[in-house]
Amino acid sequence: MVVPVVLALVLGVGLGTRGQDEVYPLAQWAMFSRVPATLDLWTLRIHAVDGDAVEGAPLVRDVPMFADAFAGGAPYRSVDRYGRALLAVQNGHDRGDELARNRRLVERLFGRHEVEYAVVNVRGNPLALLDGGAPDRELDLGTYTTR
Amino acid sequence: MSQVLGRVQTAFWRRMLFGYRDVLADPGASYQRSVQLVQLTYAVWAYFALATLRRAPGWMAEPAADLLWPNVWMTAVPWTVAVLSVVGLFFAGTLAAALVPRSVLARVVAFAGILAAQGLKYSYDKINHSFHLWALAALLLIFLPRGDEDDDGYKRSYLEIAWGIQAVILATYTLSGLQKLWGAGLDLVEDGHTLFSLDSLALHLAKVQLRGIEDGVLAPFVIEHSALSGPLMVGALAIELLALTVLFRPRAQRVFAVGFIAMHLGIGLVMDIWFDAQVLIVAVWLIGTPFVVGRQSAFATIYELPWIGPLLASRVASRSGDGRVTLYKDLAGSSEASVPAGVATADVAELGLRPHVSYAVRHELGDASILVLGRRAPLWADLHADGGSRRKQLRLLLPTVLLPRVEVAPDARTRAGG
């Protein structure tokens, strides 16, 4: 009798918790179930470094001198939170502390360089974006200079 | 009414558990293997517990902010005492269960320690699913029966728990497949780009890379050849969806286990996500399956693969046979049967194959013979072979997908048997 009960729990939680938190030690087992044909990505466009304009204002991941510093999950999350908090503040929500904290974390990644950058949200096919293609849509939240 | 239902139920289980007929008749060898696997499972857990001990100082230094449900009690006692209790319970319980797996107390303590220690680990970080199956196995093992080792009924009850562990392992793969199928439906509605798209896996990899996370060593190759990636996803989907079916096909479990491990290896190489612990439990409980003990023929193993088994098995038999045909699966077990030479429909009642086989037809191909066994009239019995032509043989094999009752043996002149 115990086998059907445990099996029902495994299957029930797996199929019945869609959109909710998993119930440890049971899970949805839904990794990679959706194909990201379109990706929303918060990132930075680099306009100038130490007073010198950067041609084409590339995305930060395409600027060799900053590519390593911005690689990895932690920098991605900082930029992502920075962009979301900035958008929220511009929309009148009270997320100023979060914005200041994440801006500080992100700007620390530039080291001692004075950088003029724009916070942007790009949307497009991930393969095309990775290949340096133009995004389908880009939201520019303004240009800032490192403090 | 209840008699009808009872008959249907009996017939259903007789058919579903056909692959276990030998085990159910004589559970001794499978029981012995299961006892070893249970002890090995707790030994592996004790190893995991030992490896966890080194985390204790870090846990003691800083309490977890968001405790999972098995650990909420830890806030009611001094934190250091709570952490030491958890890791102590984990190690002592699993070690005791490895040493004395027959002790219910040891198994209960082991499960409590496992649940609490893994819960504490995940309270600091995101939940890692790789150990979930090990935890669920430990839960099922609490319910191992007590009884006389000489009693076949006790052995079958013991094997039921082993079968349950396999069921849970296989169910998670099928769940993953179902979730992907569900996701594909949603993707189809939203933008038409599903996992059946040629570049589906490459899209996942590109997304991860754009988020600044390193992919696996093979990721650049897959992204560059993005059209190859969809078939890999579909292959993974197929093996996941069919996983639960091999619960009823014990001889196919090892083949699927190798498939799962290959899939995890591929995911590791491409996405740098390594399910080490999951691979280990697949290896222990499916490659080491207690339900296939002793030497098994490749034919019987391949024949039990869902859908493609009969087709592949026909090919294997055509190469390796020695003039004798063995009737596998739900045909006639390993019983012997004589089939007249030449293209002819035999009276299967005389062959003693009823009720499993309703017809038998033999095709001579010069260097090989094809024995066609089935439950309905042979739709292609009029296909005559000509002079050992391999092409002809392949043509004959094609319908086996639809009529999977075909076996091939080289030069099986007048006799077919186990």
Side-chain angles (χ1 to χ4, degrees), chain A residues 66-115:
Chain A
F66 299 133
D68 284 346
F70 278 81
Y76 161 75
R77 282 191 290 276
S78 295
V79 174
D80 189 70
R81 288 178 188 143
Y82 181 20
R84 291 176 193 278
L86 183 58
L87 181 65
V89 168
Q90 289 184 357
N91 287 333
H93 299 289
D94 183 21
R95 287 172 65 178
D97 289 347
E98 189 183 342
L99 173 61
R101 185 172 65 252
N102 284 296
R103 178 173 180 178
R104 196 164 55 247
L105 285 173
V106 168
E107 293 187 350
R108 197 179 291 168
L109 298 171
F110 288 122
R112 294 183 177 177
H113 297 284
E114 184 189 89
V115 180

Coordinates of all heavy atoms in Angstrom, one line a residue, chain A residues 66-115:
Chain A
F66 N 35.5 44.8 -19.9 CA 34.6 44.6 -18.9 C 33.9 43.2 -18.9 O 33.2 42.8 -18.0 CB 33.5 45.6 -18.9 CG 34.0 47.0 -18.7 CD1 33.6 48.1 -19.5 CD2 34.9 47.3 -17.7 CE1 34.0 49.4 -19.3 CE2 35.4 48.6 -17.5 CZ 35.0 49.6 -18.3
A67 N 34.2 42.5 -20.0 CA 33.5 41.2 -20.2 C 33.7 40.2 -19.1 O 32.7 39.6 -18.6 CB 33.9 40.6 -21.5
D68 N 34.9 40.1 -18.6 CA 35.2 39.1 -17.5 C 34.5 39.6 -16.2 O 33.9 38.7 -15.5 CB 36.7 39.0 -17.3 CG 37.3 38.2 -18.4 OD1 36.6 37.5 -19.1 OD2 38.6 38.2 -18.5
A69 N 34.5 40.9 -15.9 CA 34.0 41.3 -14.7 C 32.4 41.1 -14.6 O 31.9 40.9 -13.6 CB 34.3 42.8 -14.5
F70 N 31.8 41.2 -15.8 CA 30.4 41.1 -15.9 C 29.9 39.6 -16.2 O 28.7 39.4 -16.3 CB 29.8 42.0 -16.9 CG 29.6 43.4 -16.3 CD1 30.7 44.3 -16.3 CD2 28.4 43.9 -15.8 CE1 30.6 45.6 -15.7 CE2 28.2 45.1 -15.3 CZ 29.3 46.0 -15.2
A71 N 30.9 38.7 -16.3 CA 30.5 37.3 -16.5 C 30.1 36.6 -15.2 O 30.7 37.0 -14.2 CB 31.7 36.6 -17.2
G72 N 29.2 35.7 -15.3 CA 28.8 35.0 -14.0 C 27.5 35.3 -13.5 O 26.9 36.4 -13.9
G73 N 26.9 34.4 -12.7 CA 25.6 34.6 -12.2 C 25.4 35.8 -11.3 O 24.4 36.5 -11.4
A74 N 26.4 36.1 -10.5 CA 26.2 37.2 -9.5 C 26.1 38.6 -10.2 O 25.2 39.4 -9.9 CB 27.3 37.2 -8.5
P75 N 27.1 38.9 -11.1 CA 26.9 40.1 -11.9 C 25.6 40.2 -12.6 O 25.0 41.3 -12.7 CB 28.1 40.1 -12.8 CG 29.1 39.2 -12.2 CD 28.3 38.2 -11.5
Y76 N 25.2 39.1 -13.2 CA 23.9 39.1 -14.0 C 22.8 39.5 -13.1 O 21.9 40.3 -13.4 CB 23.6 37.7 -14.6 CG 22.2 37.6 -15.0 CD1 21.7 38.2 -16.1 CD2 21.3 36.8 -14.2 CE1 20.3 38.1 -16.4 CE2 20.0 36.7 -14.5 CZ 19.5 37.3 -15.6 OH 18.2 37.2 -15.9
R77 N 22.7 38.9 -11.9 CA 21.6 39.2 -10.9 C 21.7 40.7 -10.5 O 20.6 41.3 -10.3 CB 21.7 38.2 -9.7 CG 21.2 36.9 -10.1 CD 21.0 36.0 -8.8 NE 22.3 35.6 -8.2 CZ 23.0 34.6 -8.6 NH1 22.5 33.8 -9.6 NH2 24.1 34.3 -8.0
S78 N 22.9 41.2 -10.3 CA 23.0 42.6 -9.8 C 22.5 43.5 -10.9 O 21.7 44.5 -10.6 CB 24.5 42.9 -9.5 OG 24.9 42.2 -8.5
V79 N 22.9 43.3 -12.2 CA 22.4 44.1 -13.2 C 20.9 44.0 -13.4 O 20.2 45.0 -13.6 CB 23.1 43.8 -14.6 CG1 22.5 44.6 -15.7 CG2 24.6 44.1 -14.5
D80 N 20.4 42.8 -13.3 CA 19.0 42.5 -13.4 C 18.2 43.2 -12.4 O 17.2 43.9 -12.7 CB 18.7 41.0 -13.3 CG 17.3 40.6 -13.6 OD1 16.9 40.7 -14.8 OD2 16.6 40.2 -12.7
R81 N 18.7 43.2 -11.1 CA 18.0 43.9 -10.0 C 18.1 45.4 -10.2 O 17.1 46.1 -9.9 CB 18.6 43.4 -8.7 CG 18.2 42.0 -8.3 CD 18.8 41.6 -7.0 NE 18.6 40.2 -6.7 CZ 19.5 39.4 -6.2 NH1 20.7 39.9 -5.8 NH2 19.3 38.1 -6.0
Y82 N 19.2 45.8 -10.6 CA 19.4 47.3 -10.9 C 18.4 47.8 -11.9 O 17.7 48.8 -11.7 CB 20.9 47.5 -11.4 CG 21.3 48.9 -11.7 CD1 20.6 50.0 -11.1 CD2 22.4 49.1 -12.5 CE1 21.1 51.3 -11.4 CE2 22.8 50.4 -12.8 CZ 22.2 51.5 -12.2 OH 22.6 52.8 -12.5
G83 N 18.3 47.1 -13.0 CA 17.3 47.5 -14.0 C 15.9 47.5 -13.5 O 15.1 48.4 -13.8
R84 N 15.5 46.4 -12.8 CA 14.1 46.3 -12.4 C 13.8 47.4 -11.3 O 12.7 48.0 -11.3 CB 13.9 44.9 -11.7 CG 13.9 43.8 -12.8 CD 13.7 42.4 -12.1 NE 14.0 41.4 -13.1 CZ 13.2 40.9 -14.0 NH1 12.0 41.4 -14.0 NH2 13.5 40.0 -14.8
A85 N 14.8 47.6 -10.4 CA 14.6 48.7 -9.4 C 14.5 50.0 -10.0 O 13.7 50.9 -9.6 CB 15.7 48.6 -8.4
L86 N 15.3 50.3 -11.0 CA 15.3 51.6 -11.7 C 14.0 51.8 -12.4 O 13.4 52.9 -12.3 CB 16.5 51.6 -12.7 CG 16.7 53.0 -13.5 CD1 16.9 54.1 -12.5 CD2 17.9 52.8 -14.5
L87 N 13.5 50.8 -13.1 CA 12.2 50.9 -13.7 C 11.1 51.2 -12.7 O 10.2 52.0 -12.9 CB 11.9 49.6 -14.5 CG 10.6 49.6 -15.3 CD1 10.6 50.6 -16.4 CD2 10.3 48.2 -15.9
A88 N 11.2 50.4 -11.6 CA 10.1 50.6 -10.5 C 10.2 52.0 -10.0 O 9.1 52.7 -9.8 CB 10.4 49.6 -9.4
V89 N 11.4 52.5 -9.7 CA 11.5 53.9 -9.2 C 10.9 54.9 -10.2 O 10.2 55.9 -9.9 CB 12.9 54.2 -8.8 CG1 13.1 55.7 -8.5 CG2 13.3 53.4 -7.6
Q90 N 11.3 54.7 -11.5 CA 10.8 55.6 -12.5 C 9.3 55.6 -12.7 O 8.7 56.5 -13.1 CB 11.5 55.3 -13.9 CG 13.0 55.7 -13.9 CD 13.6 55.5 -15.3 OE1 13.0 55.0 -16.2 NE2 14.9 55.9 -15.4
N91 N 8.7 54.4 -12.3 CA 7.3 54.3 -12.3 C 6.6 54.7 -11.0 O 5.4 54.5 -10.8 CB 6.9 52.8 -12.6 CG 7.1 52.5 -14.1 OD1 7.1 53.4 -15.0 ND2 7.4 51.2 -14.4
G92 N 7.4 55.3 -10.1 CA 6.8 55.9 -8.9 C 6.8 54.9 -7.7 O 6.1 55.3 -6.7
H93 N 7.4 53.8 -7.8 CA 7.4 52.8 -6.7 C 8.6 53.1 -5.8 O 9.6 53.6 -6.2 CB 7.5 51.4 -7.2 CG 6.3 51.0 -8.0 ND1 5.0 50.9 -7.5 CD2 6.2 50.8 -9.4 CE1 4.2 50.5 -8.5 NE2 4.9 50.5 -9.7
D94 N 8.4 52.8 -4.5 CA 9.4 53.1 -3.5 C 10.5 52.0 -3.4 O 10.4 51.1 -2.5 CB 8.7 53.4 -2.1 CG 9.8 53.8 -1.1 OD1 10.9 54.3 -1.5 OD2 9.5 53.7 0.1
R95 N 11.4 52.0 -4.3 CA 12.5 50.9 -4.2 C 13.8 51.6 -4.3 O 14.8 51.0 -4.9 CB 12.3 49.9 -5.3 CG 11.1 49.0 -5.0 CD 10.7 48.1 -6.2 NE 11.8 47.1 -6.5 CZ 11.7 46.2 -7.4 NH1 10.6 46.1 -8.2 NH2 12.6 45.4 -7.7
G96 N 13.9 52.8 -3.7 CA 15.2 53.6 -3.8 C 16.3 52.9 -3.1 O 17.5 52.9 -3.7
D97 N 16.1 52.2 -2.0 CA 17.3 51.6 -1.3 C 17.8 50.4 -2.2 O 19.0 50.3 -2.3 CB 16.8 51.0 0.0 CG 16.5 52.1 1.0 OD1 16.9 53.3 0.8 OD2 15.9 51.8 2.1
E98 N 16.9 49.7 -2.7 CA 17.3 48.5 -3.6 C 18.1 49.1 -4.8 O 19.1 48.5 -5.2 CB 16.1 47.8 -4.0 CG 16.4 46.5 -4.7 CD 15.1 45.8 -5.2 OE1 14.0 46.1 -4.7 OE2 15.2 44.9 -6.1
L99 N 17.6 50.2 -5.4 CA 18.2 50.8 -6.5 C 19.6 51.2 -6.2 O 20.6 50.9 -6.9 CB 17.4 52.0 -7.0 CG 18.0 52.8 -8.1 CD1 18.3 52.0 -9.4 CD2 17.1 54.0 -8.5
A100 N 19.8 51.9 -5.0 CA 21.1 52.4 -4.7 C 22.1 51.2 -4.4 O 23.2 51.3 -4.8 CB 21.0 53.3 -3.4
R101 N 21.6 50.2 -3.7 CA 22.5 49.1 -3.4 C 22.9 48.4 -4.7 O 24.1 48.1 -4.8 CB 21.7 48.1 -2.5 CG 22.6 46.9 -2.0 CD 21.9 46.1 -1.0 NE 20.7 45.4 -1.5 CZ 19.4 45.7 -1.2 NH1 19.2 46.7 -0.4 NH2 18.4 45.0 -1.8
N102 N 22.0 48.1 -5.6 CA 22.4 47.4 -6.8 C 23.2 48.3 -7.8 O 24.1 47.8 -8.5 CB 21.2 46.8 -7.5 CG 20.6 45.6 -6.7 OD1 21.3 44.6 -6.6 ND2 19.5 45.8 -6.1
R103 N 23.0 49.6 -7.8 CA 23.8 50.4 -8.6 C 25.2 50.4 -8.1 O 26.2 50.3 -8.9 CB 23.2 51.9 -8.6 CG 24.1 52.8 -9.4 CD 23.5 54.2 -9.5 NE 24.4 55.0 -10.3 CZ 24.2 56.3 -10.6 NH1 23.0 56.9 -10.3 NH2 25.0 57.0 -11.4
R104 N 25.4 50.4 -6.8 CA 26.7 50.4 -6.2 C 27.4 49.1 -6.5 O 28.6 49.1 -6.9 CB 26.6 50.5 -4.7 CG 27.9 50.9 -3.9 CD 27.6 51.4 -2.5 NE 26.8 50.4 -1.7 CZ 25.6 50.7 -1.3 NH1 25.0 51.8 -1.5 NH2 24.9 49.8 -0.5
L105 N 26.7 48.0 -6.4 CA 27.2 46.6 -6.8 C 27.7 46.6 -8.2 O 28.7 46.1 -8.6 CB 26.2 45.5 -6.5 CG 26.0 45.2 -5.0 CD1 24.8 44.2 -4.9 CD2 27.2 44.5 -4.4
V106 N 26.8 47.1 -9.1 CA 27.1 47.1 -10.5 C 28.3 48.0 -10.9 O 29.2 47.6 -11.6 CB 25.9 47.5 -11.4 CG1 26.2 47.7 -12.8 CG2 24.8 46.4 -11.2
E107 N 28.3 49.2 -10.4 CA 29.4 50.1 -10.7 C 30.7 49.7 -10.2 O 31.8 50.0 -10.7 CB 29.0 51.5 -10.3 CG 27.8 52.1 -11.0 CD 27.5 53.5 -10.7 OE1 28.1 54.1 -9.8 OE2 26.6 54.1 -11.5
R108 N 30.7 48.9 -9.1 CA 31.9 48.3 -8.6 C 32.6 47.4 -9.6 O 33.8 47.3 -9.6 CB 31.6 47.6 -7.3 CG 32.8 47.3 -6.4 CD 32.5 46.6 -5.2 NE 31.7 47.4 -4.2 CZ 31.0 46.9 -3.2 NH1 31.1 45.6 -2.9 NH2 30.3 47.7 -2.4
L109 N 31.8 46.8 -10.4 CA 32.4 45.9 -11.4 C 33.2 46.6 -12.5 O 34.0 46.0 -13.2 CB 31.2 45.1 -12.1 CG 30.4 44.2 -11.2 CD1 29.2 43.7 -12.0 CD2 31.2 43.1 -10.7
F110 N 33.1 48.0 -12.6 CA 33.9 48.7 -13.6 C 35.3 49.0 -13.0 O 36.1 49.6 -13.8 CB 33.1 50.1 -13.9 CG 31.9 49.9 -14.8 CD1 30.7 50.3 -14.3 CD2 32.0 49.3 -16.0 CE1 29.5 50.2 -15.1 CE2 30.9 49.1 -16.8 CZ 29.6 49.5 -16.4
G111 N 35.5 48.7 -11.8 CA 36.8 49.0 -11.2 C 37.0 50.5 -11.0 O 36.1 51.2 -10.6
R112 N 38.2 51.0 -11.4 CA 38.5 52.4 -11.2 C 38.1 53.3 -12.4 O 38.4 54.5 -12.4 CB 39.9 52.6 -10.8 CG 40.3 51.9 -9.5 CD 41.7 52.2 -9.1 NE 42.0 51.6 -7.8 CZ 43.2 51.6 -7.3 NH1 44.2 52.2 -7.9 NH2 43.4 51.1 -6.1
H113 N 37.6 52.6 -13.4 CA 37.2 53.4 -14.6 C 36.0 54.3 -14.4 O 35.1 53.9 -13.7 CB 37.0 52.5 -15.8 CG 38.2 51.6 -16.1 ND1 39.2 52.2 -16.9 CD2 38.5 50.4 -15.9 CE1 40.1 51.2 -17.0 NE2 39.7 50.1 -16.5
E114 N 36.0 55.4 -15.0 CA 34.8 56.3 -15.0 C 34.1 55.9 -16.3 O 34.6 56.0 -17.4 CB 35.2 57.8 -15.0 CG 33.9 58.6 -14.9 CD 34.3 60.1 -15.2 OE1 34.3 60.5 -16.4 OE2 34.5 60.8 -14.2
V115 N 32.9 55.4 -16.1 CA 32.1 54.8 -17.2 C 30.8 55.6 -17.3 O 30.1 55.7 -16.4 CB 31.9 53.3 -17.1 CG1 31.1 52.7 -18.2 CG2 33.2 52.6 -16.9

